[in-house]
Amino acid sequence: MSAEIAAGASSGRGAPVPGLPVPRVSVLGVRHHGPGSARAVRDELNRIRPDLVLVEGPPEADGLVALAADPGMRPPVALLAYVPGEPSRAAFWPFAEFSPEWQAIAYAARAGVEARFCDLPAAHSLALDADPVRRDPIGELARAAGYDDPERWWEDLVEHRGEAGTLDVVAEAMRAVREGHVAGGVEARREAYMRRTLRKAAREGFARIAVVCGAWHLPALTSPPLSSPVLSPPVLSPPALSPPALSPPGGRARGSGRPTGSGPETPDVPRRPPSPAEDERLLRGLPKVRIEMTWVPWTHGRLAAGAGYGAGVAAPGWYEHLFTAPDRPVERWLARAAAILREEDLPVSSAHVIEAVRLAEGLATLRGRPLAGLSEVTEAVRAVLCGGDELPVELVQRRMVVGERLGRVPDTTPMVPLRRDLRDEQRRLRMKPEAMAGEHDLDLRRPLDLGRSRLLHRLALLDVPWGTPRRARSKGTFKESWSLEWRPELDVALIEAAVWGITVEAAATARVRDLAGGAGLPELAALVERCLLAHLPDALPYVLGRIEDRAALDGEVRHLMGALPALVRARRYGDVRGTEGLAGVTESMLARICAGLSPALTGLDEDAAREMAALMDGVHTAAGLMGSGRWLATLAGIARRDDLPGLLDGRIVRILFDAEALEDDVAARMARSMSHGNPPARSAAWMEGFLSGGGLLLVHDPRLLATVDAWLTGLSPEAFVDVLPLLRRTFGAFPAPERRMIGGRVRSGAALRPGSPGGDEGADYDDGLAAGAVRTVRDILGRGTGGRP
């Protein structure tokens, strides 16, 4: 409501506020992030031309208001208040271009008048337990009007009816829904502080004061209970809500124009207003914390109610469109939707757009709406532009209805040094923060991409996940793939990380040293890998020293085995990333693993054996990268034991077989392990360990397949039921084509007969048919046609 109030006299639209001297005060009650309210506030301020604008928000930000006029400021942005040393205690006050509060600040900047914030200071609100949200005024008014969708009610009430009288209509509705409500807790203190700020401004001699606040608070500043005891106006009942404002679609009124459950119609009885002394008593002794404030970029997605923001709106992109395109909004919206779909190579013509406009307008007429709203244009997009396909509709919803847009703050904005350094790094590396997630492939052989990779890894160490690693399209170690998405909460994460240093590199180095202090060997090894990826040469020697100390004192072979793979992987980046090798450390650890592996495999239960098998796979891969033969020699010696758990025995045999280092015949080993002298459970575990590398071995070696088939068919029904879970886990891990090939060979029975095609001994090969393939292979290998292949 635009309530104009003068001390000692009433305008008839409100009442004098106690303690106010001569200045004229206009209180503009708005809906946060309502484009209709934003246009109305802009027009009303141009009409009344105040010399002071008070805006709902934390007064600690008064010194930051001037930055709104900086050309580098582009909404959506937010005021951020945080407690130094406790960044998790933070609060945001977001503003979009279509926010009435932002339009009030922008007016003050253009007109050269002062703007202040008048809400409860953040120093108090962050120290208090916030009251839970108990009321949804818009929802209550919508239900009273017969609407099941509050946003649709708001569009019909405000957005589609023009600017004239918008503030008055909103104020009338809010007075009705707040009738009988008694503020308490933080809400009462907030409104008491608003009244205090208004009285203070009046004493300072301003001639015209405009207050822009949520319409919910307007009755606390302008209602008859706050009438002056010197000159009281006549008792005013809440203005009746006009039928068009609260009538359902089709024009038929439902209810009495009052929210359901508000009680019978009775005239207001003026209550004694809260006096200045009562407000001061309410504000006395509030807890307080030291806070700092700044501007940070925001996104439309974080303005959405679904993002957890209490004053959010359901469709910020749509509301921005209504604010920036007041003429022909439906046509402009559908034209933009068509352009987005064309970018995805979908066939959308101008004829589609024309037909979609007709459908949206026809739906609005059938539903008794003054103009097509979001629901109508969405149905038109679905039916006409997308042909009923939901996937392109979701694209339009994401790109337009929510409209992910990242704001920008000027360079002069107060920032923690770490945030400023990150901004400089982003500019140097040409990495523009974006709200929409985008995929980026980095070639680490290029200095620019290498620097980008290092920055992203450093931020990850600081728990600032701007980038999420993705599987690279190339299998080379010189390629990385990232998904980048900047979110407003990352600014809070940067403030929290600022305790580690003033630059990203220094902060990441300090963070690594802190993490290494209490880490075990596997964690330290992973930390080495991350240090190399982030290129932290000052942190790496410290972590390596910790590894050497830990490895010297840690006699647990499993810890060494868990640490080795990460260290060996780190060595692979030495050439690309310009880091020193880790040969000495890894060779020493592998030697200790080989020396202690055999005793570590004794007395293991099923879970411990499974964990050890995974560790052995990791060490085997690492040893292969190192080019060491010590590991295979160790496994060959262990393979002679007959007391190993079945899973480990089978896994060791498979590793040695693949490396062509098995001393005896693999089929004989399998036959012994599956003989009737072994319990079925151990035989199944042996098979699981042996086949965990893949099932193609059974496809290409009919002797092994015949051995497995004979063992399975020889099991008793009871034993088969016992081992079935292990078998299902083993064969279920094979890719579907492998399972089909194994099943086909078993079904045909040919692969199980000695001397059958595909077997070994006795197989009948046609040398003439094979000669052509042999010559081709020789040419590929560069062996020519002579000599041994």
Side-chain angles (χ1 to χ4, degrees), residues 422-434:
L422 175 58
R423 183 202 61 191
D424 295 341
E425 286 291 292
Q426 289 169 334
R427 291 176 177 174
R428 181 179 67 84
L429 298 170
R430 299 200 292 273
M431 299 178 70
K432 184 180 179 181
E434 298 286 352

Side-chain angles (χ1 to χ4, degrees), residues 7 17-21 199 202-203 228-229 276:
V17 176
L20 283 183
R199 295 184 186 109
R203 291 194 299 268
S228 168

Side-chain angles (χ1 to χ4, degrees), residues 518-528 543-544 546-564 566-567 585 589 592:
L521 268 178
E523 292 81 8
L524 286 170
L527 208 53
V528 167
V543 180
L544 291 178
R546 293 287 302 167
I547 286 178
E548 291 179 348
D549 295 342
R550 284 278 188 180
L553 299 175
D554 196 335
E556 181 61 56
V557 174
R558 291 179 305 164
H559 295 169
L560 297 172
M561 296 176 71
L564 182 66
L567 293 177
V585 176
M589 292 181 65
R592 296 187 58 193

Side-chain angles (χ1 to χ4, degrees), residues 14 23 364 569 679:
R569 285 195 304 269

Side-chain angles (χ1 to χ4, degrees), residues 199-211:
R199 295 184 186 109
K200 180 177 180 294
R203 291 194 299 268
E204 293 178 7
F206 292 99
R208 295 179 301 278
I209 302 173
V211 182

Side-chain angles (χ1 to χ4, degrees), residues 402-418:
V402 175
E404 283 295 352
R405 175 178 296 179
L406 181 65
R408 185 178 65 222
V409 299
D411 294 341
T412 53
T413 303
M415 299 179 185
V416 293
L418 181 63

Side-chain angles (χ1 to χ4, degrees), residues 249-250 361-369:
E361 292 176 346
L363 289 173
T365 301
L366 289 173
R367 295 169 179 174
R369 306 194 68 182

Side-chain angles (χ1 to χ4, degrees), residues 1 29-41 98 100 138 141 147 150-174 215 242 244-246 318-319 322-323 326 369-371:
M1 176 182 184
V30 301
R31 183 191 185 187
H32 300 298
H33 315 307
S37 292
R39 288 195 300 269
V41 164
F98 52 87
I138 300 297
L141 290 167
Y147 283 75
E151 297 297 327
R152 188 160 59 90
W153 175 83
W154 176 260
E155 286 185 4
D156 288 353
L157 174 72
V158 175
E159 305 303 337
H160 297 164
R161 294 187 178 274
E163 293 80 7
T166 293
L167 296 175
D168 289 330
V169 171
V170 173
E172 290 175 7
M174 203 57 63
S242 60
L246 286 178
W318 170 250
Y319 276 7
L322 292 179
F323 182 76
R369 306 194 68 182
L371 188 70

